[in-house]
Amino acid sequence: MLHIINKAPQERNSLDSCLRVARTGTILLIEDGVYAATRGNAAEGKIKDAMTRFKVCVLGPDLDARGMGDRLIEGVQSVGYDGFVDLVASEPNCQSWV
Amino acid sequence: MSEEGGIKKFMFVNRKAPYGTVYALESLEVVLITAAFDQDVSLAFLDDGVYQLKKGQQTKGIETKNFSPTFRALDGYDIEKLYVEREAMEERGLTEADLLVDVIVLSRVEMGELMEQQDVVLSC
């Protein structure tokens, strides 16, 4: 399953809920969700732990908009809008953790 | 409450990241309006609000106006008091060097004391 998270980790518990419940698949961080995948964020450990179970991606344009393009956690894949579509198409289903 | 000439101490408290919602942009517009009335204006950045001041924002890819350069123009409106919560920066891996304007870094305790001194506090 593709899990889409669009809220910052310190603003909502979307990431925590996803990591608590979801078992496997891909996590795509978009909009304010991208902050979770930046070095030095309090959520860095959660993302690194999640990478042992999930493929973790961020939407590149959202990361760049926020000036965080230079501090993506190593191993997290940055994708464009086309990559977003590919992820949706490649997984059997998806869930937005709004 | 008010000082001579009807000047009040206004503080705008910014707690939202810049593009996920419209709060940050709307707050900045109200700040500029308030400045036109010659008030004593302070801006406080707490929680995800510190992200508003991050250097290097490139919004072309999300087709949204990059309003971060406006923070650099605030001193032209006599708005020079920008306060940032130290703990909020630390929890997000940011330092003063990551910010696009000069700020005064305060602890949570100091921020709370500064809020107490205001006549009007507006929160976004």
Side-chain angles (χ1 to χ4, degrees):
Chain A
M1 182 182 286
L2 175 65
H3 301 277
I4 301 169
I5 297 170
N6 77 333
K7 294 295 186 291
Q10 283 117 330
E11 191 205 355
R12 303 271 184 93
N13 64 355
S14 314
L15 176 65
D16 287 336
S17 290
C18 173
L19 295 179
R20 191 178 67 240
V21 174
R23 304 283 24 116
T24 184
T26 302
I27 294 174
L28 174 62
L29 304 167
I30 67 169
E31 300 170 11
D32 288 344
V34 301
Y35 289 120
T38 56
R39 288 192 300 275
N41 190 288
E44 182 173 3
K46 292 175 188 172
I47 291 296
K48 285 183 170 170
D49 185 53
M51 285 163 63
T52 63
R53 288 191 286 144
F54 300 92
K55 176 181 175 186
V56 180
C57 303
V58 300
L59 191 60
D62 282 330
L63 195 68
D64 292 339
R66 289 159 179 78
M68 305 301 274
D70 61 345
R71 55 188 65 198
L72 186 62
I73 293 171
E74 197 177 340
V76 177
Q77 188 184 338
S78 179
V79 301
Y81 295 113
D82 52 347
F84 191 160
V85 174
D86 289 341
L87 284 173
V88 172
S90 67
E91 297 277 350
N93 49 13
C94 67
Q95 179 178 356
S96 287
W97 293 79
V98 294
Chain B
M1 181 157 131
S2 61
E3 295 166 19
E4 76 286 353
I7 295 177
K8 291 186 179 181
K9 292 170 77 72
F10 278 73
M11 172 178 273
F12 292 89
V13 179
N14 297 281
R15 297 184 46 255
K16 301 282 190 186
Y19 301 107
T21 63
V22 78
Y23 289 96
L25 174 59
E26 294 286 335
S27 174
L28 191 53
E29 295 193 344
V30 177
V31 165
L32 294 172
I33 291 165
T34 308
F37 289 94
D38 292 327
Q39 300 296 308
D40 180 353
V41 176
S42 298
L43 273 59
F45 297 87
L46 283 63
D47 301 327
D48 283 346
V50 299
Y51 285 135
Q52 294 178 31
L53 301 179
K54 176 69 178 64
K55 279 180 187 167
Q57 296 174 35
Q58 304 283 344
T59 60
K60 198 173 176 193
I62 61 168
E63 298 184 13
T64 299
K65 178 183 164 71
N66 175 6
F67 58 85
S68 66
T70 307
F71 289 111
R72 303 179 73 109
L74 287 178
D75 62 350
Y77 296 85
D78 290 328
I79 298 173
E80 291 159 343
K81 290 182 284 193
L82 277 62
Y83 301 96
V84 174
E85 180 195 353
R86 175 179 291 112
E87 292 88 340
M89 280 200 297
E90 289 171 354
E91 288 164 358
R92 289 162 182 79
L94 300 178
T95 66
E96 258 186 279
D98 291 316
L99 306 184
L100 48 79
V101 281
D102 290 333
V103 300
I104 301 154
V105 180
L106 299 180
S107 69
R108 282 176 179 156
V109 173
E110 292 168 324
M111 188 67 86
E113 289 168 355
L114 187 66
M115 283 180 184
E116 293 282 350
Q117 298 165 16
Q118 305 298 315
D119 295 310
V120 180
V121 179
L122 294 163
S123 199
C124 288

